[in-house]
Amino acid sequence: PAPTAARLIPRADCAAPAAAEVAWQGCDKRWAGLAGAMLRGARLDGVRLDGADLRRADLSYANLSGASLRGANLSGASLMGADLSRADLTGADLTEAVLDYATLTGALMTGVRLSGTRLGKAVWPDGHLCAPHSVDVCA
């Protein structure tokens, strides 16, 4: 029989530098200094980013499902279209962040700071779809 084609899912490379589409799934990046990092489309599912500095980082369309972002600073970050389902955002700072079209289904959001945070059409932890121009709260 013909060999089956391997699925082209990148293997985690925890030593790889921050870059668009980086594969850090399951890596330990606690307290990482990633302010302004370009992580657009990154594979970050299950990553540990507790206490990380992600201010103004571009995490648009990144897969952060099941990630731990406890106490992370995401102020001014772009998380547009990001998958944050089942992520732990306890105590994270999302001040002025963009979460338009993000998926937060099942995410833990105790103590999250959402001042000026854009939530247009985001899917809230309870599955509720936020109104198109939601800011601070999922309306």
Side-chain angles (χ1 to χ4, degrees):
T4 56
R7 290 183 59 202
L8 297 176
I9 296 175
R11 293 165 84 144
D13 181 358
C14 298
E21 300 182 9
V22 70
W24 283 349
Q25 61 270 33
C27 296
D28 188 343
K29 296 288 180 180
R30 288 177 287 181
W31 304 102
L34 295 165
M38 166 53 81
L39 295 165
R40 185 180 189 91
R43 292 284 318 256
L44 304 172
D45 35 315
V47 73
R48 302 269 319 260
L49 283 162
D50 304 328
D53 182 358
L54 290 156
R55 289 172 295 149
R56 299 174 316 282
D58 185 352
L59 292 151
S60 302
Y61 309 103
N63 181 351
L64 287 147
S65 62
S68 184
L69 293 147
R70 295 175 67 88
N73 186 345
L74 291 148
S75 59
S78 175
L79 292 141
M80 180 180 288
D83 181 358
L84 290 151
S85 56
R86 300 175 324 283
D88 186 350
L89 293 160
T90 304
D93 185 353
L94 290 164
T95 303
E96 304 285 328
V98 176
L99 275 84
D100 294 333
Y101 301 98
T103 301
L104 295 155
T105 308
L108 301 176
M109 296 188 59
T110 305
V112 172
R113 289 183 289 286
L114 294 171
S115 179
T117 306
R118 290 180 23 195
L119 299 164
K121 295 204 174 182
V123 179
W124 208 237
D126 64 3
H128 173 85
L129 183 64
C130 302
H133 302 290
S134 294
V135 177
D136 297 342
V137 294
C138 180

